[in-house]
Amino acid sequence: MIAGRKLHRIVLVAIAAGVVAIVATRMRWDWLPDYYGILVAGIWKTLLILFSTVVLGFLCAVPLGLIQVTGPKPLALLCKGFCTVIRGTPLLLQLWLLYYGLGSLFPQIPEIRDSFLWPYLRQAWPYAVVALSMSFAGYEGEVMRGAFAGVPRGELEAARAYGMKPFTVLRRIWLPRALHRALPTLNGEIVLQLKSTPLVATITVIDVYAVISKVRQETYIVYEPMLLLALIYLCLTGILVLIFRYFENKIPAPEV
Amino acid sequence: MVDCLKKLFLVILMLTVSAGMVYAKPVRIGFSAEPYPPFYAPDASGNWTGWEIDIIKAVCEAANLDYVLAPTAWDGIIPALISRKIDMIMGSMSITEARLKSIDFSDKYYNTPTVVVGAKGLEFDATSEGLKGKIIGVQTATVHQAYASKHFPGAQIKEYQTQDEINQDLISGRIDATQADSLAIEAFLLSDEGKACCEFKGTVAEDLSILGPGVGVGLRKGDDELKARINAAIAAIRANGTYDRITKKYFSFNIYGK
Amino acid sequence: MTSLELLALSPPGWGGLLLRGLVTSMTIAFGGYILGLAIGICGAFGKLYGGPVTRDLLACYTTIVRAIPELVLIVLLFYAGSDIVNHLLMFFGSPPIDINGLAAGIVVIGVVQGAYSTEVIRGAIKAVNPGQIEAGRAYGMGALLLLRRITLPAMLPFAIPGLSNLWLIATKDTALLAVVGFTELTMATRQAGGATKAYFLFFCTAGGLYLVVTLLSNAVIRVIERRACLGMPDVGHA
């Protein structure tokens, strides 16, 4: 009997539905209508930070990885040093170093206030974007290094034999093959980047975590806002994973 | 018979002693884990010093309580009190109607005016028109945040977890002004960086419903016995001169208020 | 005060406070990592050999913990965890206890690490040649003996890259405890910077300390990997 084999799953789903029903009715959700607007704005901000830092970080990661495989020794050492420092220190520390550390240097250089950059240096989001991008670049630089090093030499030699110039080899063979190898890892890393975004709330950027913190502090409710926050992140992660799985099915799997 | 009486006497003795020692376990006193001079600030050895730390010691001595300092993140300090991680809040928390919905307060133990402090180059005062278009920094979940949201609608309000972060951003020039307790911000203005960057801009208009009657000790609702002991202790140290002696060490004027 | 004076080990230098923060961080990281390993081994076995209910519950645990940001988990467990424990104690009539901050930090990091190490250990056990386990069973080895003599040693080479990565993550996740006000290295650095306004100096120093821990850990991991992977074909590191 199919029902017998899947009975435990039905029971589990029923229990989960029961828990959700209890949570939805017996706990305090009266604060939701008041904060709905800024909650949506916070979610939007989170997604914006996620995608901008992923794109910027990846654009930096490609040269970081490439130089470590090909490039001149001193430059390669520099890139390796950058990746080691980024991967060896907590993201929170890097974020605070940029925001508070650089911020404490500003008063000592009065020319900065008159420059055109000042309106941007005053706000918090540029620091968040730079720190998260640098972090993503550091981790992905390592991944891309492995990807570039792992492309079979035979293909690169064949391309050279065809008379392609080095840049053409890079553009037509090396980069696409490396990207293809790195794709599954990159998908996982983007989900990890989503989990790094709440840290920007500590430097006054209003993402969804900052909004929920505000709700907690103004209403003194302990559980309900955090449960909603956990649910929001679960949904965001789930949507990201589904999108990646859809694209992975469209692209043929790389042969190792 | 004598044995029985002895045992009974022992039991009664123990009951009376334990009744007096309801808080034999030391009370945990919560305050924000950030430097907030001159009320409380950590020094290089990690010890906390300041006017409020001395008052805590005096009040607990007068109330006959063993205490332990428990620095707690400001944004979780009221939930920490409610969930019994700490037993009292003595971190310059103002008595307000909003907070009275969740917790109880003792009598006030100080009340100082609220002021606005801002960047030296800009000319403005502590009014709604003066602050229009300026960036003002306030600490989240404080009376200053509530006041600024209500009375300075034209200003861009940036919320921070601690006043210390706000001071740092004032020095860096990221914000134009802040609204804070006059004594806490005075300590900042006396520092080298504070003197260089900022100046006093004005006292804000009164608003008792938001700013409250003063700073009190935060207690759990229903903790009436502790509340009575703390109130008695506060009255005692004010009466016997301990309060004034401690205040003289830090300030040259009376900070109790009216 | 010059930079060197600020960093001095005894007051008025802040170096001592930073080092104490580092010791606290490493204690929590170590305790959390060991707790995570213990949870991971139990979880992996539950997922591989347990009944359907155990498998579903463990799947929920690992999915939820791995999908929610560590910061949110730490705040949730820190505030809600002690609240639940105290409610349970009051329900049973005992007085509420107050949980040591260090213990709370270790439990929080341990629970988060447990979900990840469950997956790593499960993957490593699945990679073990099933023939070896069958041979052990054919010899009449009991379950515990099998675990001790065959499964654990055989899965170690496969598990080491993942587990070493988890150790590095544990050392860095302790920094997140600063957001709940717990005084470990990152929070101590913030306090020192706040008191002296020399933020840049202290944050760079803290970064240097974390880097030293990471580099030392990497060296130790390389030694362990060489010892454990004796005789195995080179997997080829990324």
Side-chain angles (χ1 to χ4, degrees):
Chain A
M1 286 217 314
I2 297 180
R5 238 177 310 179
K6 292 295 184 188
L7 186 63
H8 69 278
R9 199 144 283 178
I10 301 175
V11 170
L12 203 67
V13 169
I15 294 177
V19 167
V20 168
I22 294 176
V23 163
T25 51
R26 301 260 324 258
M27 296 182 112
R28 285 183 58 187
W29 299 104
D30 47 351
W31 49 272
L32 258 180
D34 299 326
Y35 292 96
Y36 183 71
I38 52 172
L39 198 61
V40 172
I43 297 179
W44 178 239
K45 197 69 163 290
T46 299
L47 291 174
L48 205 64
I49 293 179
L50 174 66
F51 288 119
S52 59
T53 56
V54 160
V55 168
L56 285 172
F58 190 69
L59 287 176
C60 297
V62 170
L64 275 174
L66 189 61
I67 293 178
Q68 283 185 64
V69 178
T70 62
K73 208 63 192 315
L75 221 59
L77 243 69
L78 206 69
C79 293
K80 189 163 173 68
F82 175 76
C83 289
T84 311
V85 169
I86 294 285
R87 295 184 336 146
T89 50
L91 176 58
L92 192 64
L93 196 74
Q94 296 162 13
L95 197 61
W96 286 358
L97 176 69
L98 275 181
Y99 188 73
Y100 293 116
L102 282 188
S104 70
L105 293 177
F106 288 155
Q108 300 167 18
I109 312 175
E111 288 80 14
I112 290 189
R113 290 211 198 198
D114 306 321
S115 77
F116 68 97
L117 281 174
W118 184 238
Y120 297 106
L121 292 176
R122 285 194 105 184
Q123 300 174 57
W125 65 262
Y127 298 90
V129 169
V130 168
L132 284 179
S133 304
M134 273 175 35
S135 169
F136 197 66
Y139 283 96
E140 297 335 302
E142 240 336 272
V143 172
M144 289 313 292
R145 185 188 67 81
F148 279 120
V151 171
R153 294 232 64 114
E155 300 191 11
L156 301 175
E157 280 170 10
R160 288 291 286 145
Y162 265 102
M164 289 189 188
K165 294 210 262 299
F167 185 68
T168 317
V169 176
L170 176 68
R171 187 170 60 86
R172 306 260 331 247
I173 310 286
W174 210 358
L175 186 58
R177 290 286 277 135
L179 277 178
H180 198 200
R181 290 175 68 87
L183 217 53
T185 317
L186 284 177
N187 293 343
E189 297 283 328
I190 295 181
V191 173
L192 284 179
Q193 184 77 343
L194 172 66
K195 302 206 299 168
S196 306
T197 54
L199 267 60
V200 303
T202 58
I203 59 169
T204 76
V205 176
I206 310 293
D207 74 323
V208 63
Y209 175 78
V211 169
I212 294 290
S213 286
K214 191 180 157 80
V215 171
R216 266 178 57 223
Q217 288 165 26
E218 289 179 1
T219 59
Y220 308 126
I221 306 176
V222 179
Y223 292 104
E224 288 81 339
M226 295 302 287
L227 286 178
L228 183 65
L229 185 65
L231 187 68
I232 290 175
Y233 276 113
L234 269 174
C235 293
L236 286 177
T237 308
I239 293 174
L240 275 175
V241 168
L242 282 175
I243 293 178
F244 291 141
R245 215 169 273 181
Y246 174 74
F247 279 114
E248 255 175 53
N249 289 334
K250 290 294 189 89
I251 303 171
E255 334 88 52
V256 188
Chain B
M1 175 71 174
V2 179
D3 263 329
C4 229
L5 280 176
K6 267 199 208 159
K7 283 205 188 105
L8 195 62
F9 174 75
L10 223 59
V11 167
I12 295 178
L13 186 66
M14 272 172 35
L15 280 175
T16 12
V17 167
S18 55
M21 277 175 37
V22 164
Y23 277 88
K25 201 171 63 112
V27 283
R28 298 176 61 82
I29 304 189
F31 55 93
S32 178
E34 47 143 339
Y36 191 64
F39 295 108
Y40 50 87
D43 65 11
S45 8
N47 297 326
W48 291 87
T49 59
W51 179 88
E52 202 145 12
I53 303 289
D54 291 343
I55 290 285
I56 289 175
K57 184 152 173 247
V59 163
C60 288
E61 263 169 21
N64 204 13
L65 289 168
D66 277 328
Y67 72 96
V68 108
L69 294 177
T72 315
W74 179 253
D75 71 338
I77 203 168
I78 290 190
L81 178 69
I82 298 177
S83 63
R84 294 176 174 264
K85 279 176 102 105
I86 54 178
D87 302 303
M88 288 164 41
I89 298 178
M90 272 184 94
S92 297
M93 180 173 273
S94 307
I95 306 170
T96 66
E97 284 166 25
R99 290 182 177 137
L100 278 168
K101 285 195 211 142
S102 311
I103 61 175
D104 211 353
F105 279 98
S106 72
D107 298 331
K108 72 164 182 179
Y109 57 93
Y110 78 87
N111 185 20
T112 44
T114 308
V115 300
V116 168
V117 149
K120 266 193 174 149
L122 303 169
E123 285 296 317
F124 59 88
D125 59 1
T127 61
S128 178
E129 305 84 53
L131 285 164
K132 206 195 293 255
K134 305 279 185 309
I135 308 179
I136 180 167
V138 287
Q139 191 178 1
T140 341
T142 58
V143 295
H144 308 298
Q145 183 220 346
Y147 190 96
S149 314
K150 180 169 163 197
H151 290 266
F152 305 139
Q156 187 193 336
I157 300 178
K158 246 182 127 173
E159 295 180 25
Y160 294 79
Q161 288 299 316
T162 64
Q163 183 65 37
D164 192 56
E165 289 168 39
I166 300 176
N167 296 346
Q168 188 55 35
D169 269 5
L170 267 175
I171 297 174
S172 329
R174 286 202 181 108
I175 52 178
D176 300 316
T178 179
Q179 176 192 328
D181 178 83
S182 56
L183 289 180
I185 211 70
E186 172 91 13
F188 167 63
L189 285 176
L190 286 173
S191 70
D192 294 327
E193 301 87 2
K195 259 193 282 232
C197 81
C198 307
E199 60 186 2
F200 175 74
K201 294 294 186 199
T203 316
V204 304
E206 247 321 308
D207 187 343
L208 200 65
S209 64
I210 294 188
L211 294 175
V215 164
V217 178
L219 299 156
R220 278 187 286 273
K221 276 195 187 294
D223 222 350
D224 297 320
E225 201 247 323
L226 185 60
K227 179 173 166 182
R229 284 170 87 165
I230 298 286
N231 283 345
I234 294 177
I237 62 170
R238 277 191 57 74
N240 69 17
T242 319
Y243 184 94
D244 293 324
R245 184 170 45 82
I246 296 177
T247 309
K248 268 207 227 320
K249 263 173 43 182
Y250 297 90
F251 312 114
S252 54
F253 48 89
N254 171 32
I255 74 168
Y256 186 74
K258 298 184 283 289
Chain C
M1 286 205 284
T2 66
S3 309
L4 231 55
E5 282 172 20
L6 278 174
L7 285 176
L9 280 176
S10 47
W14 294 82
L17 191 69
L18 287 187
L19 281 180
R20 272 198 298 277
L22 179 68
V23 168
T24 313
S25 285
M26 288 306 114
T27 314
I28 296 180
F30 193 68
Y33 185 65
I34 300 290
L35 181 62
L37 271 184
I39 297 180
I41 292 181
C42 298
F45 274 91
K47 268 195 153 180
L48 286 170
Y49 306 122
V53 176
T54 322
R55 260 192 298 231
D56 280 343
L57 287 175
L58 283 170
C60 285
Y61 164 60
T62 53
T63 313
I64 292 179
V65 170
R66 294 192 313 159
I68 302 179
E70 282 94 10
L71 183 61
V72 176
L73 280 171
I74 284 175
V75 172
L76 245 177
L77 287 172
F78 212 76
Y79 290 128
S82 53
D83 198 33
I84 291 178
V85 167
N86 283 331
H87 269 124
L88 278 173
L89 284 173
M90 283 203 293
F91 186 67
F92 287 116
S94 342
I97 55 167
D98 76 327
I99 299 182
N100 183 348
L102 198 69
I106 290 180
V107 168
V108 163
I109 300 274
V111 167
V112 173
Q113 288 267 307
Y116 288 96
S117 52
T118 301
E119 289 306 309
V120 168
I121 296 178
R122 186 175 74 98
I125 293 182
K126 282 183 89 159
V128 172
N129 189 348
Q132 299 200 2
I133 302 186
E134 277 177 20
R137 287 218 187 96
Y139 266 101
M141 286 187 176
L144 210 59
L145 195 64
L146 197 65
L147 174 74
R148 193 166 58 85
R149 298 283 299 271
I150 311 271
T151 316
L152 278 183
M155 75 133 188
L156 216 54
F158 297 110
I160 285 185
L163 289 182
S164 57
N165 205 29
L166 281 181
W167 163 248
L168 295 174
I169 291 178
T171 56
K172 289 182 286 185
D173 273 354
T174 57
L176 296 176
L177 289 170
V179 181
V180 291
F182 190 70
T183 309
E184 44 69 62
L185 180 55
T186 310
M187 187 55 155
T189 315
R190 254 274 282 270
Q191 282 176 349
T196 61
K197 303 300 175 213
Y199 282 104
F200 203 69
L201 171 71
F202 284 114
F203 277 121
C204 285
T205 314
L209 286 173
Y210 277 114
L211 211 55
V212 164
V213 170
T214 307
L215 292 174
L216 276 176
S217 305
N218 278 335
V220 171
I221 289 166
R222 263 199 295 273
V223 168
I224 295 180
E225 223 168 334
R226 232 174 310 163
R227 298 275 307 272
C229 297
L230 274 176
M232 295 207 57
D234 192 13
V235 186
H237 307 286

